[in-house]
Every structure is written in structure tokens, then in C-alpha cells.
Amino acid sequence: MANEAGKTGRSGWETAVSRTMPYPGSRVWEFLVGDGVEIWLGPGVELPRERGAGYETEHGTTGEIRSYSEDRLRLTWRPTDWDHDSLLELEVADLGKRSTLRIRQEQLADVAEKAEQRAYWKQVVERVEAALAER
């Protein structure tokens, strides 16, 4: 049971951002897991699609794929300066000619980390939408 905004009994602190975009879900998803992966995951990584597969970015963020489907991805996320993993989920809901991108991160250490990650994911969503508009 949550006792503070963004804090859950099961998974610690969490944050989420979403944006509805004027693009079909398949277009958004293909960009996120293809050319756009660097925008949200970081430079120098090819996104693995198999459960249990690990990854590492040029900046040293590491993690493991937990699940991968045609519109939803769950993976662990651990930057080099963190002493814990967090759980990241990206999901695209297809609404026909539009879609909603949802990014949720849980198992954050504290309210400061929550605020930092929320700001990061807001920037990511803006960059994804801008990149899609240029295509």
C-alpha cells in the first residue's frame, strides 16, 4: 500500500510518464526497439530481445531483459553510480492512427532518484516524439 506519492509497499519508489503521439503503435514501437534505442537506453547498445539476455551501454549502464513482446518490454536498469537494479517497462498502446507510449520505472531508491528519473523519462519521451516527427 502506498503511503507517499510514488512509493509502493512492494517495489519501493516508482515513477511513470506517458505521451499520446500522432503515430500508429507499430511505428512508435519499431522506432523504440530499433534506431531509437539509443535515445532511451543509451549509446553503444543493441537491444537484446531474449529473456535473460544482458546488455551494457557505452556509459556502463547494465541490465537484463525480463520480457519482450510486440508492444511491451521489461528490463532491469542499473547505471554505474547506483548500488541497485531498478525495473523499467516500456509499453506502446496502439490507438489506430495514434498511440500512447508509457514508461514506468520501479524499485527506485528514494524520492530524489524518483525525481531524477521522472525528469529523464520526460526528456526521453520528448526526444522520441521529435525524432519520429523528423522521419
Side-chain angles (χ1 to χ4, degrees), residues 29 68-73 90-94:
W29 183 253
Y68 186 101
S69 67
E70 63 187 39
D71 61 358
R72 185 171 163 254
L73 169 66
L90 281 79
E91 182 176 25
V92 176
D94 191 1

Side-chain angles (χ1 to χ4, degrees), residues 2-131:
N3 58 7
E4 297 177 62
K7 187 172 185 182
T8 67
R10 282 184 298 128
S11 60
W13 291 92
E14 64 180 35
T15 191
V17 298
S18 67
R19 168 108 26 112
T20 299
M21 301 180 193
Y23 309 107
S26 60
R27 181 174 174 196
V28 175
W29 183 253
E30 288 168 15
F31 179 72
L32 283 173
V33 299
D35 294 341
V37 75
E38 188 171 300
I39 292 174
W40 62 271
L41 189 55
V45 65
E46 187 171 320
L47 181 68
R49 288 168 168 71
E50 309 81 34
R51 181 183 169 101
Y55 70 87
E56 183 171 357
T57 71
E58 285 179 6
H59 298 304
T61 297
T62 59
E64 175 182 297
I65 302 300
R66 293 293 174 90
S67 67
Y68 186 101
S69 67
E70 63 187 39
D71 61 358
R72 185 171 163 254
L73 169 66
R74 289 175 63 88
L75 64 151
T76 60
W77 167 287
R78 184 177 188 160
T80 56
D81 59 341
W82 286 13
D83 64 358
H84 64 282
D85 288 342
S86 65
L87 187 60
L88 179 63
E89 179 178 88
L90 281 79
E91 182 176 25
V92 176
D94 191 1
L95 306 170
K97 293 181 180 180
R98 299 177 307 135
S99 60
T100 300
L101 168 59
R102 294 182 187 101
I103 302 174
R104 186 170 147 234
Q105 190 172 16
E106 54 187 56
Q107 299 175 356
L108 300 170
D110 53 35
V111 71
E113 197 170 270
K114 173 193 165 194
E116 177 183 303
Q117 290 308 110
R118 182 168 178 77
Y120 175 75
W121 295 119
K122 282 182 173 184
Q123 289 176 359
V124 163
V125 169
E126 289 170 9
R127 291 176 57 206
V128 165
E129 188 168 33

